[in-house]
């Protein structure tokens, strides 16, 4: 005949406290890490040129603007085509309508960007200012004798504003694979632009 003994294990209050404290400490560490990551990613640097101001992402490469460009910043840490923010200013007649300025922008983009295609165009309001939002794609192939580059599909978004005889174009361009992930940061930049 076999006898079986029932073994009952009691957990002490100290054991329960230790398990809960490890869980709580882990959650606090994860939250602190996420806050640190967010604060580093959202750092910005003030930009001012004439009457245009903005908050550009800290650590991005500020390129020398050319032509109508007032600001050209690029994130070199992204894969493929570097995520880029642009601000351009074009003179327009004092009585120019927003639609006329948009036509000039799309014509200029079509002439300078390879494979430029408008995906969508709509009227929007940004911080109380009327604008036209233009979604587009193009192919970027920066040929270089020292470095072979595979062409990249770039997706972009332009916001065209008309104010006091000038069209202000705020642009976002990113590699197709990074476009959605970086869009939220661009919207924070767009809201910071004052002209």
């Amino acid at each position: 005949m076999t006898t079986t003994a029932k073994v009952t294990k009691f957990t002490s209050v100290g054991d329960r406290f230790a398990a809960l404290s490890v869980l709580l400490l882990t959650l606090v560490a994860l939250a602190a890490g996420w806050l640190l990551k967010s604060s580093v990613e959202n750092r910005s640097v003030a930009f001012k040129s004439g009457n245009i101001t903005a908050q550009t992402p800290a650590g991005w490469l500020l390129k020398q603007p050319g032509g109508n460009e007032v600001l050209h910043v690029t994130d070199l840490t992204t894969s493929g085509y570097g995520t880029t923010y642009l601000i351009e200013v074009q003179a327009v007649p004092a009585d120019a309508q927003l639609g006329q300025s948009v036509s000039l922008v799309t014509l200029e983009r079509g002439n300078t960007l390879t494979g430029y295609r408008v995906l969508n165009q709509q009227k929007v309001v940004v911080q109380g200012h009327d604008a036209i939002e233009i979604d587009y794609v193009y192919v970027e192939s920066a040929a270089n004798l020292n470095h072979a580059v595979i062409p990249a599909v770039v997706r972009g978004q332009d916001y065209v504003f008309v104010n006091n005889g000038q069209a202000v174009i705020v642009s976002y361009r990113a590699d197709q694979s990074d476009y959605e992930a970086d869009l939220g940061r661009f919207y924070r930049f767009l809201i910071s632009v004052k002209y």
Side-chain angles (χ1 to χ4, degrees), residues 85-100:
Y85 299 168
L86 298 166
I87 298 177
E88 299 172 85
V89 176
Q90 295 179 354
V92 295
D95 61 344
Q97 299 296 318
L98 193 53
Q100 295 167 328

Side-chain angles (χ1 to χ4, degrees), residues 59-192:
W60 285 29
L61 176 65
L62 178 62
K63 293 185 179 179
Q64 186 64 33
N68 294 333
E69 289 181 358
V70 175
L71 173 71
H72 186 138
V73 292
T74 302
D75 182 6
L76 297 178
T77 63
T78 53
S79 61
Y81 180 85
T83 301
T84 302
Y85 299 168
L86 298 166
I87 298 177
E88 299 172 85
V89 176
Q90 295 179 354
V92 295
D95 61 344
Q97 299 296 318
L98 193 53
Q100 295 167 328
S101 298
V102 169
S103 296
L104 292 174
V105 169
T106 56
L107 181 62
E108 184 268 332
R109 299 275 194 261
N111 288 332
T112 58
L113 301 176
T114 305
Y116 176 78
R117 298 290 180 267
V118 174
L119 302 175
N120 188 27
Q121 182 174 311
Q122 63 184 351
K123 188 172 184 174
V124 295
V125 176
V126 178
Q127 296 292 91
H129 299 282
D130 290 334
I132 300 285
E133 176 188 271
I134 307 166
D135 291 317
Y136 58 93
V137 294
Y138 68 96
V139 176
E140 177 65 35
S141 177
N144 185 331
L145 294 176
N146 300 326
H147 180 63
V149 176
I150 297 173
V153 175
V154 177
R155 190 158 170 204
Q157 198 171 73
D158 289 343
Y159 286 84
V160 182
F161 303 90
V162 173
N163 185 37
N164 297 330
Q166 68 180 7
V168 178
I169 303 110
V170 181
S171 302
Y172 165 62
R173 297 176 183 172
D175 194 272
Q176 174 67 27
S177 61
D178 295 328
Y179 180 82
E180 291 296 331
D182 292 340
L183 194 56
R185 183 170 36 182
F186 170 72
Y187 288 146
R188 288 190 299 276
F189 168 75
L190 176 65
I191 290 171
S192 78

